[in-house]
Amino acid sequence: MPENPSSGQGAEEFDAADRSLGELVSEAGGNISKLVRLELELAKLELARDAKQVGKGSAMFVAAAVLLHLFLILFSVTAGLFLYDVAGLSAWISFLIVTLFYLLVAAIMVGIGVLHLRRIKGLERFGTTMATTVSVLRGEHTAER
């Protein structure tokens, strides 16, 4: 008797001629239901595993972001002191230049972000197909291929 790898139980041997159509349909429905349940269980297990990996990866990105933030602060102080020492500017002007540089970079990033957001077209095809589907279901017109 061959074994069923999912449950470890032996597969039932039967002669289809000895069973009624109702019994066969009922058994097929039960098997499909069991298959769907097992597939959902597998999906849950895979999602849990992937969620752990996403959590670990996200934690590394957060740690890197904190370190890069500290680097940016220290680099800003270094740049300000460099301008103060090498260019001979007063301290407040040196740090004002560094601050204005960051303000300029932020303004450029905001501009680029706005341009990208203006390019969003939304769900054009989805809306069209849903409208067609609804009208077909209402019987307003037939589906076209």
Side-chain angles (χ1 to χ4, degrees), residues 92-107:
W92 71 272
I93 291 178
S94 299
F95 285 102
L96 179 64
I97 291 171
V98 172
T99 303
L100 292 176
F101 171 76
Y102 286 128
L103 183 63
L104 177 66
V105 169

Side-chain angles (χ1 to χ4, degrees), residues 83-136:
L83 289 173
Y84 172 73
D85 193 36
V86 173
L89 300 172
S90 64
W92 71 272
I93 291 178
S94 299
F95 285 102
L96 179 64
I97 291 171
V98 172
T99 303
L100 292 176
F101 171 76
Y102 286 128
L103 183 63
L104 177 66
V105 169
I108 291 170
M109 292 172 116
V110 166
I112 293 171
V114 167
L115 288 176
H116 282 282
L117 289 176
R118 285 185 180 169
R119 291 182 186 162
I120 294 175
K121 295 180 182 178
L123 303 172
E124 293 174 336
R125 286 192 269 174
F126 174 75
T128 304
T129 58
M130 279 305 294
T132 304
T133 302
V134 168
S135 65
V136 167

Side-chain angles (χ1 to χ4, degrees), residues 12-76:
E12 292 181 23
E13 292 186 24
F14 65 92
D15 187 11
D18 294 341
R19 302 177 112 182
S20 71
L21 181 62
E23 290 174 336
L24 292 174
V25 169
S26 174
E27 185 177 338
N31 287 339
I32 289 173
S33 175
K34 183 177 180 181
L35 178 63
V36 169
R37 237 184 353 265
L38 290 172
E39 288 291 334
L40 287 174
E41 185 177 330
L42 176 63
K44 286 179 189 178
L45 291 172
E46 288 179 341
L47 281 174
R49 182 202 61 214
D50 290 347
K52 288 178 185 176
Q53 292 299 322
V54 167
K56 290 176 184 177
S58 297
M60 291 296 116
F61 279 119
V62 168
V66 168
L67 291 175
L68 285 172
H69 184 78
L70 291 173
F71 166 78
L72 186 62
I73 291 170
L74 293 173
F75 179 76
S76 300

